[in-house]
Amino acid sequence: MTSDSLGSHNFDVLIIGSGLAGLSAALLLAPDRRVAVVTKRELNDGSSSWAQGGMAAVLAEGDSVEQHVNDTLVAGAGLCDLPATRAVVEGAPEAISWLRELGVAFSEDGDHPGELHLTREGGHSQRRIVHAADATGAAVQRTLMEQVRSTPNITLFEHHMLVDVITDRQLKQPGKRCYGAYVLDTASGKVLTFSAGHTILATGGAGKVYLYSTNPDTATGDGIAAAWRAGCSVGNMEFIQFHPTCLYHPEAKSFLITEAVRGEGGKLLLPPSAGGGRFMPAHDERAELAPRDVVARAIDFEMKKHGLDCVYLDISHQSPAFLQEHFPNILKRCLELGIDITRQPIPVVPAAHYTCGGVMTDLAGRTDVAGLYAVGETACTGLHGANRLASNSLVECVVLARATAQAIEALAPAAAPALPAWDESQVTNADEAVVISHNWDELRRFMWNYVGIVRTTKRLERAAHRIALLNAEIQEFYANFRVTRDLLELRNLVQVADLIVRSAHGRHESRGLHFSRDFPRTAEQAIPTVLIPPAS
């Protein structure tokens, strides 16, 4: 690393985001490159730490790559890219092995010492989910953070937030290459200049664009919005996966009840006031093991039909010892809230969970802009199609991080040109907190109401109108006042909301996660949605 007193840093590789994709890429690149990892809060504050379920990989006798590929294609409703799907599925076992070598303590099979315990989740035809009890993401993230902190060639910048990537546009020259990024040091309020031959966006998804989400507060679509502004195409942004089972409790913000609860026999029930009993068999022959989009729509339907605040998920038929072994964190959190899952059903509601679309990349993370890469939930490789298959995303992070690192290592280190410092000579401080808070709340509410699990053309048009008004107001703030994390996040959320609505409005069918009352049928041909930014 090189740096100067004016807040300029130079690295071989700049990684923005510190989840599984970003930290994996950092560790894989560190032996030969000087790497910076920029993260806007603490190192473990992203979605990866929150992932409960696990990582899908073909490891059991009787399972096969073809079965895993087919399960992914079925869940993706015909829109998965086959080469991408095959590449991730084939690379999954090696990804698991690499993580175990680093020291990740996955749960082992009690009946077969040394072998991994494999569970099953909705949409999977076999038990192939490698997990660490019910806190897989936290276990993986903890190990990677320990490795990253002890690796000399990696420099960490916590509490630093991406403002924008730097391209030929900022240099006022022709071309379409990325040279680094402007980054806000949220402690000092200063915007720093990071130059790098290669920049990787690994900022996660955009779940916080919705009122109810299983995502952490950091999931504000920063990488997707910045890539779009830099000239990158985005794909399939209408496909937002709503997790069927988020804990419904006033004190439980965004607490996820993992898919694996249904995989281990959990049943979805109506409350006694609505007749009680199971309802999933009436919606799909796979019942509780149907893909997430099917289950989420079924719950949404039953809640609206009966005027319910939530439905219930019952796993109490399993023994307390089984629940303690497999779901210790869910058992503990529910007990803290007065819910004993060994005897009582869990109140649940759907919530925005995963952004299946994102920045268009190839299978080495490359975007439309030279020197700029995207991995993890930020990217759209085509793996997830119209609906992500459970537990494919964490393993995609590692497989694509490896491919991206290899692509960068194959190139000679590139020297970035001298980059202009951030210019804030024309801006002033502003007391914008009330306006930003109001706009954030307004955006998330109308996105939930108009662009949620079930959509109509009229609702989408209303959302587009509101987005245009918000965008004009935010751009005025951005042009005239010093940037803050709240302002940057709101700017990014509004940009992502626009991309979601535009993508949804252009899909005249119902497929996977996108369900339109105006176009309830599925078209014969599955065509991805690709948005291309206007030329600057």
Side-chain angles (χ1 to χ4, degrees):
M1 177 193 78
T2 60
S3 61
D4 61 34
S5 59
L6 299 177
S8 177
H9 300 280
N10 177 264
F11 290 87
D12 295 322
V13 182
L14 170 63
I15 299 174
I16 302 169
S18 61
L20 178 53
L23 295 188
S24 295
L27 288 171
L28 292 162
L29 285 161
D32 301 309
R33 304 294 167 105
R34 297 169 300 119
V35 179
V37 174
V38 168
T39 188
K40 66 180 176 182
R41 296 196 185 180
E42 301 290 336
L43 201 59
N44 65 336
D45 276 342
S47 294
S48 293
S49 292
W50 290 34
Q52 294 179 353
M55 304 177 72
V58 175
L59 298 172
E61 285 187 29
D63 197 5
S64 68
V65 166
E66 292 306 320
Q67 289 182 75
H68 190 178
V69 167
N70 187 64
D71 290 344
T72 302
L73 298 179
V74 170
L79 208 60
C80 299
D81 179 80
L82 182 57
T85 303
R86 189 168 292 281
V88 172
V89 169
E90 291 178 348
E94 182 182 3
I96 301 297
S97 296
W98 180 68
L99 291 172
R100 295 186 79 186
E101 289 170 6
L102 291 179
V104 177
F106 291 115
S107 297
E108 295 190 355
D109 189 332
D111 297 328
H112 301 89
E115 293 185 17
L116 293 174
H117 180 269
L118 302 176
T119 189
R120 183 181 173 190
E121 295 182 345
H124 288 274
S125 59
Q126 300 287 340
R127 283 183 171 265
R128 64 168 70 99
I129 312 303
V130 177
H131 63 102
D134 62 346
T136 306
V140 173
Q141 191 74 356
R142 185 165 54 248
T143 300
L144 291 188
M145 287 191 299
E146 291 171 357
Q147 293 286 336
V148 163
R149 290 190 188 280
S150 63
T151 300
N153 239 12
I154 299 174
T155 306
L156 302 175
F157 294 86
E158 294 179 299
H159 301 287
H160 283 66
M161 181 181 177
L162 171 66
V163 177
D164 261 323
V165 297
I166 302 171
T167 65
D168 289 301
R169 187 180 305 171
Q170 280 88 350
L171 302 182
K172 296 180 170 56
Q173 63 188 28
K176 200 173 181 181
R177 180 170 185 84
C178 177
Y179 302 101
Y182 290 119
V183 173
L184 173 67
D185 178 347
T186 56
S188 69
K190 298 295 184 183
V191 177
L192 312 178
T193 305
F194 282 73
S195 64
H198 307 277
T199 299
I200 300 175
L201 298 173
T203 59
K208 299 306 283 189
V209 78
Y210 286 99
L211 183 62
Y212 300 111
S213 172
T214 65
N215 292 181
D217 291 339
T218 54
T220 52
D222 304 335
I224 298 171
W228 173 259
R229 292 191 293 264
C232 295
S233 301
V234 300
N236 292 344
M237 287 298 295
E238 68 269 42
F239 299 114
I240 304 294
Q241 187 174 74
F242 288 80
H243 197 287
T245 52
C246 185
L247 179 61
Y248 179 76
H249 192 282
E251 297 175 30
K253 181 182 178 183
S254 307
F255 188 77
L256 176 68
I257 305 299
T258 175
E259 192 98 355
V261 172
R262 287 183 285 120
E264 295 295 348
K267 307 302 181 190
L268 284 163
L269 308 174
L270 293 171
S273 62
R278 294 173 68 191
F279 56 86
M280 277 310 303
H283 289 269
D284 192 282
E285 63 183 9
R286 294 164 291 187
E288 281 82 4
L289 290 178
R292 292 177 176 182
D293 62 318
V294 175
V295 179
R297 276 200 302 275
I299 295 174
D300 184 67
F301 175 86
E302 296 292 343
M303 287 174 60
K304 289 175 178 174
K305 176 183 176 182
H306 298 287
L308 305 174
D309 292 326
C310 66
V311 297
Y312 292 86
L313 179 59
D314 189 8
I315 189 71
S316 62
H317 66 279
Q318 295 282 13
S319 69
F322 179 94
L323 296 175
Q324 179 61 48
E325 179 184 359
H326 290 274
F327 307 115
N329 290 293
I330 293 174
L331 180 66
K332 177 183 176 184
R333 182 61 177 139
C334 286
L335 274 176
E336 290 172 350
L337 298 170
I339 304 165
D340 181 357
I341 71 171
T342 67
R343 299 185 299 108
Q344 300 168 269
I346 307 166
V348 293
V349 292
H353 183 58
Y354 191 85
T355 309
C356 288
V359 184
M360 298 287 289
T361 73
D362 66 7
L363 293 182
R366 302 181 189 92
T367 70
D368 296 336
V369 176
L372 183 62
Y373 306 78
V375 292
E377 194 173 352
T378 304
C380 178
T381 63
L383 168 67
H384 304 303
N387 182 23
R388 177 185 70 110
L389 180 64
S391 291
N392 269 355
S393 48
L394 286 181
V395 80
E396 182 196 27
C397 287
V398 179
V399 173
L400 268 295
R402 179 180 297 276
T404 301
Q406 290 172 346
I408 292 173
E409 287 177 335
L411 302 171
L419 301 179
W422 179 257
D423 181 11
E424 56 179 26
S425 60
Q426 305 299 313
V427 300
T428 60
N429 290 318
D431 181 17
E432 82 284 2
V434 172
V435 175
I436 289 175
S437 175
H438 174 79
N439 286 354
W440 182 300
D441 183 66
E442 180 186 355
L443 172 71
R444 297 178 69 205
R445 285 186 183 278
F446 75 66
M447 285 296 290
W448 181 261
N449 291 329
Y450 297 157
V451 200
I453 295 172
V454 177
R455 299 160 180 175
T456 68
T457 299
K458 185 173 238 182
R459 290 178 189 174
L460 294 175
E461 289 171 348
R462 286 177 176 169
H465 177 69
R466 304 280 282 278
I467 288 168
L469 295 175
L470 278 180
N471 189 55
E473 189 169 316
I474 291 162
Q475 291 308 318
E476 182 181 354
F477 267 103
Y478 184 76
N480 292 290
F481 302 114
R482 288 191 173 88
V483 296
T484 63
R485 187 183 70 195
D486 288 344
L487 176 59
L488 292 174
E489 288 183 333
L490 180 60
R491 178 186 182 226
N492 292 332
L493 281 172
V494 170
Q495 179 62 77
V496 170
D498 176 63
L499 296 172
I500 293 170
V501 171
R502 287 169 58 184
S503 299
H505 198 268
R507 184 165 291 278
H508 293 171
E509 63 162 349
S510 290
R511 182 182 297 275
L513 300 166
H514 174 75
F515 186 82
S516 170
R517 284 185 178 168
D518 297 307
F519 304 99
R521 295 183 179 179
T522 301
E524 290 186 14
Q525 187 176 5
I527 302 174
T529 299
V530 179
L531 300 181
I532 300 173
S536 58

